[in-house]
Amino acid sequence: MLSRLPGIPTLKELRRPGIGQRLLLQIILFSSLITLIATGIQLYTDYNRDIGTLKTRLNDIEGSYLGSVSASLWNLDVLQLNLQLEGIHQLPDIQSVVVQENPENVSDPLHLQRGVIAERNVLTRQYPLVYHLASGPRQIGTLTVQASLAEVYARLQEKVIVILLSQGVKTFLVSMFILFIVYRMITTHLTHISNRVSHFEITQEQPPLALQRQPPHEPDELDQVVNAFNALTRNLRQAYEHMHEVNHALARDIVARRHAEEEVKRLNSVLEQRVLQRTAELEAANSELASFCYSVSHDLRAPLRRIEGFRRILHERYHEQVDEQGQHYLNRIAAGTYEMAEMIDSFLRLSRATQGELNVEIVDLSLKVRRLIAEHTEREPERPVTLDIRNEVRAPVDSHLFDMLLSNLVDNAWKYSSKAPETHLSFGFNEEDGERVYFIRDKGAGFDMQYAERLFAPFSRLHKNEEFDGVGIGLATVQRIITRHGGRIWAESSPGKGATFYFTLWERNTDREQGDYITG
């Protein structure tokens, strides 16, 4: 049995899918593409050259035979015409020759033909046969010559076959040689490196990787791969030893961590119990507060309704018997009962602002402000108003509570601007230290900042009822709504120059963009 020569790949190795096969396929495809392009260019050049030869031959026929054929046709020398047509037909690549006499003023025009007239693969020329008389030239007929392209196509076909066969054999031999070189210089060593990597064990010391070849004068890419692998092996071994030491150190900490985890679980259990206890207490307090608010509002409204009922009876039945001073007292009673009813309603709104769950969603605050101002404008169309409302101011809030908040702020701005020549209202926000600060500004009556601490206290007012009506609960409600939204509210003002109310949202929560807003 013959042994395989070293460095010569076997048929099984050549058939194995790998770099060699892909390289061989790419070389064959690229060489075939170049061969096809070169063959096409060569065929196009040869075709144009053969067509040029045929056109030259047709031009020679025009110069050599046209005059003699015209004279023979004029003399009706049929024998001479046949000889001339036969001579033209014997020229290379001439398919057919036809002489047709001009049918004008001739009852039986002459028609002579040599060869078979074809409809395809021919180059046709028609020459007018002109005889010169004393009166001038006269066309007496037509000479039609067809040159066949069959020989041209046959020569091109033979050339295609020869070029493709020769280039195919050459491409195959070159590809096989390149495949042999790649296998000998690259694939064999890559296989050796792959076997070494597949049997690599990080827990065992192993000798450095070395290629089975004569070392080159200058390190090549394979040497770089070998050096990188040996460096990686050393680094992995060092990392493994370091990790082994770290594992021992971690093992010593496991017991302490388990004790810490058990302590954390115990503390969490205690904390959960306390949270449940405080939650139950808070729910009970909220329930008692709601019941108290309902009872207070119900118990207070009943006497008010009776007082207002008796006042109405006195006014309707004894109107003529009560003097002007008595009418004044009845009007004072009506105003007092109305004011008391407003205070009860405000007290209930204040209570509701601190109860219930928040339904947070992205709300267009600008749209709400514009709608509230439009309602005031409809009620007082004669008041001149200048607005500066920033468009599409959106914020994650509870829509229902913010209806109440913005209604109180806009109502205050509108109310305290009633004595100004023109009502100026602004709404927008500023960015301060990465925080968004919203504001509502007016140019109304304003207030003295030394009384600012009383501004958000319930039932506390900085203006007299004779100047501006109200019960002093609106800003207290606003403050509680802002507090539930994790923000703060403050005001800046001076008497006669208007006031600006600022507020922020979700200062205690950094996950603002996600909408997971939690307040205490």
Side-chain angles (χ1 to χ4, degrees), residues 355-374:
Q355 298 180 9
E357 295 183 359
L358 290 180
N359 183 18
V360 178
E361 57 184 337
I362 302 299
V363 176
D364 190 341
L365 303 183
S366 300
L367 187 62
K368 291 181 178 294
V369 172
R370 290 183 186 276
R371 186 173 62 248
L372 292 169
I373 295 176

Side-chain angles (χ1 to χ4, degrees), residues 233-503:
T233 302
R234 290 192 299 272
N235 294 335
L236 287 176
R237 183 64 186 173
Q238 294 174 0
Y240 172 77
E241 293 175 353
H242 176 69
M243 184 169 43
H244 191 66
E245 295 176 358
V246 171
N247 286 338
H248 282 293
L250 290 176
R252 291 191 296 268
D253 295 338
I254 290 177
V255 176
R257 292 195 178 190
R258 287 180 178 174
H259 287 302
E261 289 176 358
E262 292 175 357
E263 182 66 16
V264 169
K265 290 180 180 179
R266 186 186 67 80
L267 294 176
N268 285 340
S269 177
V270 174
L271 180 60
E272 288 177 359
Q273 293 295 330
R274 291 182 179 178
V275 169
L276 292 175
Q277 180 181 357
R278 296 295 173 84
T279 302
E281 293 174 356
L282 181 60
E283 290 178 352
N286 287 335
S287 178
E288 291 176 2
L289 178 60
S291 300
F292 173 74
C293 292
Y294 177 78
S295 299
V296 168
S297 63
H298 183 270
D299 294 341
L300 290 179
R301 286 182 190 276
L304 283 178
R305 285 195 295 269
R306 288 195 296 272
I307 293 172
E308 176 61 21
F310 287 121
R311 185 203 67 82
R312 190 179 298 109
I313 292 172
L314 286 173
H315 178 73
E316 293 175 355
R317 294 185 181 180
Y318 304 100
H319 178 72
E320 297 179 355
Q321 301 176 17
V322 178
D323 59 4
E324 184 178 352
Q325 185 68 24
Q327 294 292 339
H328 173 70
Y329 293 151
L330 290 176
N331 292 334
R332 292 289 299 273
I333 293 173
T337 55
Y338 176 78
E339 183 178 355
M340 189 63 186
E342 286 293 320
M343 294 181 67
I344 293 173
D345 291 338
S346 299
F347 179 73
L348 288 177
R349 286 196 295 269
L350 178 63
S351 175
R352 295 191 188 100
T354 59
Q355 298 180 9
E357 295 183 359
L358 290 180
N359 183 18
V360 178
E361 57 184 337
I362 302 299
V363 176
D364 190 341
L365 303 183
S366 300
L367 187 62
K368 291 181 178 294
V369 172
R370 290 183 186 276
R371 186 173 62 248
L372 292 169
I373 295 176
E375 293 175 358
H376 285 287
T377 305
E378 290 178 0
R379 288 193 293 268
E380 299 183 49
E382 71 282 354
R383 183 192 291 197
V385 179
T386 300
L387 302 179
D388 182 15
I389 309 299
R390 184 164 181 169
N391 293 325
E392 296 185 355
V393 178
R394 303 177 184 276
V397 297
D398 185 293
S399 180
H400 175 70
L401 290 180
F402 253 70
D403 283 337
M404 190 185 307
L405 179 144
L406 294 175
S407 176
N408 282 313
L409 292 179
V410 172
D411 289 350
N412 279 352
W414 186 270
K415 176 173 62 177
Y416 291 111
S417 299
S418 61
K419 297 182 180 181
E422 185 177 4
T423 300
H424 292 265
L425 296 180
S426 303
F427 173 72
F429 66 86
N430 300 320
E431 295 289 345
E432 299 179 3
D433 299 330
E435 182 181 40
R436 178 173 289 190
V437 179
Y438 305 87
F439 65 86
I440 292 183
R441 180 181 295 117
D442 65 76
K443 295 184 179 180
F447 59 88
D448 193 342
M449 287 297 292
Q450 65 177 334
Y451 304 111
E453 69 275 2
R454 296 166 47 194
L455 197 62
F456 300 100
F459 305 106
S460 176
R461 305 195 65 228
L462 304 185
H463 297 85
K464 298 179 180 179
N465 284 335
E466 291 79 6
E467 297 177 339
F468 303 99
D469 59 351
V471 295
I473 204 68
L475 291 180
T477 304
V478 168
Q479 185 186 43
R480 280 156 178 76
I481 294 174
I482 291 296
T483 301
R484 293 204 65 192
H485 285 77
R488 55 194 176 91
I489 184 170
W490 68 97
E492 296 178 358
S493 177
S494 60
K497 296 184 179 180
T500 303
F501 285 85
Y502 300 93
F503 62 91

Side-chain angles (χ1 to χ4, degrees), residues 118-139:
E119 296 181 357
R120 298 175 56 188
N121 299 331
V122 292
L123 189 63
T124 303
R125 285 282 184 89
Q126 285 188 346
Y127 307 100
L129 299 176
V130 179
Y131 188 78
H132 296 276
L133 301 174
S135 58
R138 176 182 176 185
Q139 183 176 351

Side-chain angles (χ1 to χ4, degrees), residues 51 80 102 117 129 209 226-227 278-279 362 458 477 486 489:
I51 293 297
Q80 184 64 26
N102 194 345
I117 297 176
L129 299 176
L209 174 64
V226 170
N227 294 334
R278 296 295 173 84
T279 302
I362 302 299
T477 304
I489 184 170

